[in-house]
Amino acid sequence: MFKGKVFLFSLLIVLATSVYAGEVDDCLSSAGTSCELLDATLEFSICPAGDFEFISGGCGGNADYIWVEVLNGGGIGIEGIPWTDFWLNACDPAQELCLCASPIAADSLTNANGRTTISGRMAGGGCILSGGMYIAVQGKPLWAEETPGVCIDLICLDIIVTSPDFTGDCLVSLADYNPFLGTYNLAIGAPLFNKCFDFTNDDAVSLSDFAFLAEHYNHTCF
Ligand SMILES: [Ca+2]
Ligand SMILES: [Ca+2]
């Protein structure tokens, strides 16, 4: 009888511990980009087919990344969170992206400290030039802790995203090509210049940007 009680008590501790260890705390967890160290903005282009550029070249280097540190309510890192449990979208709901089923994948499972990086491609459409992007882990957007125990602001990462799917319906079509023509051959400073179509990040919309759009024409994730 005594042994049975000890076993039951141990089992309860194991169950309680495993649930606690796996629960993402959206306030204690945090995220950022490697570009912040250079005081630069992370810029990359996405396509619904997930075949546009890698995040890794996003601020001039070739090893740029988004980092995430996932902690539980006790401030302990959660290890082993799957590659596909991360989500990235606009902080401003009016700029929400069209995202495909698995928009981004982390480079590895979270390590013993709950950390991982994201430097691959992203599948989706739309355009975000300002306002930043937040990251969600297992469906939970991460919040900044302004004062101890008080989380009131989304962590908005300084990220710019463009896509040949300008309209953000997860299809690259004529509806995206027509507004592209309106800004073609224009550079930054011109009244009708639209940075959303500058896929090459050189502050001009030119033939090289058209080539990107043409290459991804008709791409979708449906
Ligand atoms: Ca579109
Ligand atoms: Ca360009």
Side-chain angles (χ1 to χ4, degrees):
M1 192 64 181
F2 180 69
K3 277 186 181 174
K5 280 184 179 172
V6 169
F7 173 75
L8 184 61
F9 183 65
S10 305
L11 185 65
L12 284 173
I13 287 181
V14 168
L15 285 175
T17 305
S18 60
V19 168
Y20 190 64
E23 186 77 19
V24 175
D25 188 299
D26 50 358
C27 181
L28 294 182
S29 300
S30 56
T33 75
S34 61
C35 302
E36 290 164 359
L37 300 173
L38 305 170
D39 206 19
T41 300
L42 177 61
E43 297 185 34
F44 57 91
S45 291
I46 62 177
C47 178
D51 59 346
F52 222 120
E53 60 191 21
F54 289 87
I55 291 171
S56 58
C59 63
N62 55 14
D64 306 314
Y65 54 86
I66 297 166
W67 62 264
V68 188
E69 184 178 70
V70 188
L71 306 180
N72 66 18
I76 307 296
I78 301 176
E79 186 176 8
I81 292 186
W83 289 269
T84 52
D85 280 10
F86 302 89
W87 204 261
L88 198 62
N89 213 331
C91 292
D92 178 356
Q95 300 184 71
E96 201 170 325
L97 296 174
C98 168
L99 296 177
C100 300
S102 183
I104 53 172
D107 301 325
S108 64
L109 302 177
T110 49
N111 67 15
N113 296 319
R115 291 182 70 101
T116 189
T117 57
I118 298 162
S119 62
R121 288 165 159 154
M122 181 169 164
C127 179
I128 296 173
L129 301 181
S130 62
M133 299 182 78
Y134 71 85
I135 191 153
V137 183
Q138 294 185 334
K140 289 184 171 182
L142 302 187
W143 298 81
E145 190 176 27
E146 292 297 309
T147 55
V150 182
C151 298
I152 52 172
D153 284 323
L154 270 176
I155 297 174
C156 284
L157 306 174
D158 189 16
I159 298 176
I160 287 177
V161 165
T162 56
S163 173
D165 171 28
F166 169 70
T167 60
D169 58 354
C170 276
L171 169 67
V172 184
S173 70
L174 201 59
D176 305 299
Y177 179 68
N178 285 335
F180 174 86
L181 288 180
T183 191
Y184 189 64
N185 261 341
L186 297 178
I188 193 164
L192 295 178
F193 171 70
N194 190 341
K195 176 76 177 165
C196 286
F197 293 102
D198 177 21
F199 309 123
T200 58
N201 292 339
D202 60 354
D203 288 334
V205 179
S206 62
L207 191 60
S208 53
D209 301 297
F210 175 75
F212 274 108
L213 196 150
E215 187 183 338
H216 298 271
Y217 200 70
N218 267 339
H219 284 191
T220 184
C221 59
F222 301 126

